[in-house]
């Protein structure tokens, strides 16, 4: 189902599931992040469901994402504070990482791929921009991932999407787009 016409990146609250047919394959990204073959196989065969609660508290924009893989495989919750401050996270899949998140206008972004194909309302209100990297001293891994989140026209329908720009341990560059179907409000 398409994202409602009135929804913008100012509030992406809702329930979604990943449309794997419209999303790019992320197996190589996961492999380079050190995710095991078994975990990658489970992720590849499960459906990812997201419940996003986007709100403002005490003047600070927050996004909480509850992620559930189908079949009872696993779940996690992450809260993103859009203040561009680094935060250490011990992620169930990726291990120790450092992340930061903000709202950004497209001209504030360095990587062209993160700016591509966004509609006028996203250009006006900005994308959700996240940057994360492995906490190498703790994890022994080295990688960087940047993402932009927003609402994009995919095959004639407005869909919640994420553009991923990944740099692996040996400088490998991978670009991927993740597409999510809207299921309704939370």
């Amino acid at each position: 189902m398409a994202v409602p016409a009135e929804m913008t990146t100012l509030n992406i609250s809702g329930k979604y599931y990943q449309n794997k047919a419209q999303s790019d394959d992320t197996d190589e990204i996961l492999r380079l992040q050190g995710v095991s073959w078994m975990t990658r196989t489970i992720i590849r065969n499960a459906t990812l469901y997201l419940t996003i609660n986007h709100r403002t508290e005490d003047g600070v924009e927050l996004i909480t994402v509850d992620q559930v893989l189908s079949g009872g495989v696993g779940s996690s919750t992450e809260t993103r504070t859009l203040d561009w401050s680094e935060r250490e996270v011990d992620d169930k899949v990726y291990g120790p990482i450092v992340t930061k998140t903000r709202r950004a206008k497209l001209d504030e972004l360095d990587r062209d791929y993160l700016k591509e194909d966004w509609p006028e309302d996203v250009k006006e209100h900005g994308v959700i921009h996240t940057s994360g990297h492995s906490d190498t001293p703790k994890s022994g891994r080295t990688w960087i991932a940047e993402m932009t989140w927003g609402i994009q026209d995919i095959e004639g329908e407005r869909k919640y999407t994420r553009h991923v720009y990944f740099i692996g341990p040996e400088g490998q560059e991978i670009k991927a787009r993740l597409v999510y179907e809207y299921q309704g409000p939370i």
Side-chain angles (χ1 to χ4, degrees), residues 91-175:
D91 189 272
K92 289 181 184 180
V93 175
Y94 311 113
I97 61 175
V98 179
T99 67
K100 58 185 179 179
T101 305
R102 66 179 175 169
R103 173 175 302 286
K105 295 288 188 176
L106 297 179
D107 61 3
E108 296 176 285
L109 303 173
D110 295 328
R111 304 194 187 282
D112 288 340
Y113 178 71
L114 299 175
K115 304 184 226 186
E116 291 178 359
D117 301 324
W118 296 111
E120 288 304 314
D121 63 315
V122 174
K123 291 176 184 174
E124 176 186 348
H125 301 298
V127 290
I128 309 305
H129 177 219
T130 71
S131 180
H133 60 86
S134 55
D135 190 341
T136 305
K138 292 180 183 174
S139 69
R141 300 179 184 130
T142 303
W143 54 263
I144 299 168
E146 273 192 83
M147 286 191 282
T148 47
W149 304 358
I151 299 167
Q152 187 175 18
D153 294 323
I154 307 291
E155 297 179 11
E157 290 189 321
R158 288 170 46 86
K159 307 249 176 121
Y160 170 61
T161 62
R162 296 179 178 184
H163 291 199
V164 180
Y165 188 91
F166 177 83
I167 301 172
E170 295 178 17
Q172 306 93 323
E173 294 183 39
I174 301 173
K175 301 171 191 171

Side-chain angles (χ1 to χ4, degrees), residues 7-12 54 61 103 122 125-126 128 149-151:
M7 184 180 280
T8 69
T9 57
L10 295 176
N11 188 343
I12 57 173
H54 189 164
E61 198 171 359
R103 173 175 302 286
V122 174
H125 301 298
I128 309 305
W149 304 358
I151 299 167

Side-chain angles (χ1 to χ4, degrees), residues 18 20 25-48 68-70 72-76 91-95 141:
Q18 187 178 8
K20 290 192 177 185
D25 184 8
T26 59
D27 188 69
E28 182 63 5
I29 292 173
L30 294 170
R31 186 186 73 76
L32 291 170
Q33 288 175 305
V35 177
S36 73
W37 175 85
M38 181 168 295
T39 300
R40 294 192 331 265
T41 301
I42 291 168
I43 290 169
R44 184 174 34 256
N45 291 310
T47 300
L48 178 62
V68 177
L69 282 172
S70 64
V73 174
S75 65
S76 66
D91 189 272
K92 289 181 184 180
V93 175
Y94 311 113
R141 300 179 184 130

Side-chain angles (χ1 to χ4, degrees), residues 50-91:
L50 306 177
T51 300
I52 300 176
N53 181 356
H54 189 164
R55 63 206 181 278
T56 300
E57 293 179 6
D58 299 323
V60 178
E61 198 171 359
L62 302 169
I63 299 175
T64 299
V65 181
D66 293 316
Q67 302 179 93
V68 177
L69 282 172
S70 64
V73 174
S75 65
S76 66
T77 299
E78 64 177 332
T79 298
R80 303 264 183 172
T81 304
L82 280 67
D83 63 0
W84 209 234
S85 295
E86 287 192 339
R87 290 175 173 76
E88 293 183 7
V89 177
D90 192 9
D91 189 272

